[in-house]
Amino acid sequence: MIAALDATPLTVPTGGVTRYTSELARALAAAYPEDRYWLLSDQPFAMPSPVPANLHKGNGPRTAAERRWWLWGLEREMMRRDVEVFHGTDFSVPYIPRRPSVMTVHDLSPWLSKDASIRVRRRVPVLLRAHIPTMIVTPSEAVRRAVISRFRIDQERVAAVPLAASSHFRPVEAPVPERPYFLFVGTLEPRKNIARLIEAWREVRKSEEVDLVLAGRVRDDFAAPAPEEGLRVLGAVPEEDLPRLYSGAAAFVYPSLYEGFGLPVLEAMQCGASVITSRDPAIMEVSGGAAVHVDATDVRALAEAMRVRPVRREESLRRAAQFSWSATAKKTREVYDAAVRLFTK
């Protein structure tokens, strides 16, 4: 098979969709060496490293007409590369279905928040209801059910394919910190519930000295907390530094109000961290009972869990071992095959 993946998420250095696109492309190429995979975008992007021999970088628009990428330019580039199926890794597929396509719908946040991308919120429902994507991929059963219900999609056209943590997430020896710390990793945005996390941490801090570390890109719609003793806002952290942060934390705390999967939870567990998180359905799928779950809106319950913080290292490692990018690649490749069969019916 010759398949193309949307590489636009690779135009930014960090984030869950960036990681998803990079890891999936490399895993597909490694698992199916007889296939050819192309990463395509109308914007400059960095190839994932290391690059398998059968994973290639395509060209952007060559003419003024091709700058209309999703209408014309992408199709022209796929014709040049003999692409058989296209995978839109972030809510996007070509507007005219000239070949089988797969769209990843990561979650329903664009329709749950007024602060989400207007472009995605308006365009994707039109594409879905017009059956423009041949198949839809979601990262969890929770999102799969929500997509089927909200957009009235036939069940056989929507497949749940779990993600995985990168292989470099593993327990590492971390320097003993001056004070213990709770850790949050993820994009700092309203639905991550950071304000309640800080409030709960302040309650714990009344009885013990423990810091709170927030690591992740700060989104424009996030109100940054005022500086205070013990609160460390690191901003975006290089991938290679995250295992050390996860491994050294007293607990990883992720009280998100809504998730499509909750990849940082899996990364933390793969590093052997004890996890305290919300009761979001997608996150509960990921944790499989290995995390402590609390009502994300209950600050007192969150503070109590942080105060007690039971050690769940072995449970975390056992659960994380059930996920891998090779398994994700296999299930995704099966979706590509299904898209080809459905398109040619």
Side-chain angles (χ1 to χ4, degrees), residues 136-180:
I136 297 101
V137 163
T138 66
S140 63
E141 281 293 339
V143 177
R144 178 179 180 271
R145 291 191 296 269
V147 167
I148 291 169
S149 174
R150 185 180 187 96
F151 301 110
R152 299 178 182 177
I153 308 292
D154 294 337
Q155 294 188 25
E156 62 270 18
R157 293 183 56 227
V158 190
V161 180
L163 311 185
S166 304
S167 59
H168 68 272
F169 287 103
R170 58 185 182 275
V172 298
E173 289 293 331
V176 178
E178 183 179 338
R179 286 190 301 269

Side-chain angles (χ1 to χ4, degrees), residues 35-227:
D35 289 352
R36 266 188 289 161
Y37 294 95
W38 288 89
L39 285 167
L40 306 178
S41 178
D42 60 340
Q43 303 170 50
F45 66 92
M47 287 289 282
S49 180
V51 183
N54 58 334
L55 178 61
H56 308 283
K57 184 176 186 177
N59 293 318
R62 297 186 179 184
T63 66
E66 289 187 8
R67 292 195 185 99
R68 302 181 71 181
W69 186 246
W70 293 101
L71 185 63
W72 180 243
L74 177 56
E75 174 60 27
R76 292 289 298 171
E77 180 64 7
M78 288 195 289
M79 289 174 63
R80 289 189 282 263
R81 308 301 182 183
D82 296 321
V83 169
E84 299 168 65
V85 60
F86 177 80
H87 184 174
T89 55
D90 191 23
F91 294 99
S92 297
V93 292
Y95 299 152
I96 301 174
R98 295 187 176 96
R99 71 194 70 237
S101 66
V102 176
M103 176 192 285
T104 295
V105 176
H106 295 281
D107 53 47
L108 264 63
S109 61
W111 301 277
L112 301 176
S113 169
K114 294 180 180 179
D115 298 320
S117 167
I118 295 175
R119 180 176 59 89
V120 171
R121 188 163 66 239
R122 292 178 176 174
R123 182 192 60 197
V124 172
V126 175
L127 295 175
L128 292 179
R129 287 169 179 147
H131 290 189
I132 301 301
T134 318
M135 291 286 295
I136 297 101
V137 163
T138 66
S140 63
E141 281 293 339
V143 177
R144 178 179 180 271
R145 291 191 296 269
V147 167
I148 291 169
S149 174
R150 185 180 187 96
F151 301 110
R152 299 178 182 177
I153 308 292
D154 294 337
Q155 294 188 25
E156 62 270 18
R157 293 183 56 227
V158 190
V161 180
L163 311 185
S166 304
S167 59
H168 68 272
F169 287 103
R170 58 185 182 275
V172 298
E173 289 293 331
V176 178
E178 183 179 338
R179 286 190 301 269
Y181 62 91
F182 296 114
L183 175 67
F184 170 90
V185 174
T187 302
L188 302 185
E189 57 179 309
R191 69 184 170 100
K192 300 301 183 182
N193 205 22
I194 302 299
R196 288 192 181 95
L197 171 57
I198 293 174
E199 192 177 346
W201 163 70
R202 288 178 183 142
E203 287 298 312
V204 177
R205 193 169 166 79
K206 289 176 182 178
S207 58
E208 59 178 301
E209 285 197 8
V210 59
D211 291 352
L212 175 60
V213 176
L214 307 178
R217 178 173 57 89
V218 180
R219 220 170 70 172
D220 292 340
D221 57 353
F222 176 74

Side-chain angles (χ1 to χ4, degrees), residues 286-339:
V286 173
S287 75
V292 175
H293 293 275
V294 298
D295 181 347
T297 64
D298 189 337
V299 173
R300 290 181 62 183
L302 182 58
E304 183 59 24
M306 293 168 70
R307 191 175 290 112
V308 174
R309 53 179 184 275
V311 177
R312 295 284 183 92
R313 177 183 171 85
E314 296 306 320
E315 293 95 324
S316 289
L317 291 171
R318 278 197 297 270
R319 178 58 178 169
Q322 297 176 29
F323 297 82
S324 71
W325 277 110
S326 60
T328 302
K330 181 177 183 296
K331 291 178 180 178
T332 303
R333 182 61 164 75
E334 290 170 357
V335 175
Y336 294 174
D337 287 334

